[in-house]
Amino acid sequence: MTGFRGARRSDAGFTLSEMMAVLVVISVLALIAIASYFGATKRAAAAACIENQRIIEEAIPVYMSLHNGEKPATIDDLEAYVRTWSNVTRCPADKNVELVLDPVTLKVSCPLHPR
């Protein structure tokens, strides 16, 4: 009869301390995954912003060739030469931040993602 009781006790299931250890491990893994996700989205937004800056800068020579070498005074002068204008002129990380054209150097920049 003692052997029967010993077998039942080993089949009783997980102890509270084992369950807590499993929950701690799962929580740590979840935190690592969440941190990686947010880091990846920030890097993706920065890369998209830099690509938007490049797209606008590629429109500058087209503008200048059609306007007898005249430089664009503002970034809005390039609107006709960029097909996805409404998506390109704002930073993907923060839609309230607009890209800016330096009329002297003809470089487009973002306050959040300078190149």
Side-chain angles (χ1 to χ4, degrees):
M1 190 104 181
T2 59
F4 183 68
R5 283 188 188 179
R8 285 190 113 178
R9 284 189 185 165
S10 66
D11 292 339
F14 297 109
T15 64
L16 182 60
S17 60
E18 290 171 334
M19 289 297 283
M20 293 303 290
V22 168
L23 287 175
V24 166
V25 169
I26 290 173
S27 300
V28 168
L29 292 174
L31 287 174
I32 291 171
I34 291 169
S36 295
Y37 172 76
F38 285 119
T41 55
K42 285 179 76 173
R43 287 189 306 274
C49 186
I50 290 171
E51 179 64 15
N52 289 348
Q53 295 172 38
R54 187 192 62 77
I55 289 170
I56 295 172
E57 285 178 356
E58 286 180 352
I60 294 171
V62 177
Y63 176 90
M64 291 176 66
S65 68
L66 295 173
H67 291 90
N68 299 325
E70 180 183 328
K71 294 180 179 180
T74 65
I75 197 167
D76 293 327
D77 292 342
L78 302 170
E79 182 175 0
Y81 308 100
V82 178
R83 189 170 38 160
T84 57
W85 185 254
S86 61
N87 296 333
V88 174
T89 57
R90 299 199 179 271
C91 179
D94 185 356
K95 296 294 183 186
N96 295 323
V97 176
E98 292 186 8
L99 300 181
V100 180
L101 173 69
D102 183 1
V104 176
T105 62
L106 297 179
K107 295 291 180 186
V108 178
S109 63
C110 173
L112 300 178
H113 305 105
R115 294 190 285 164

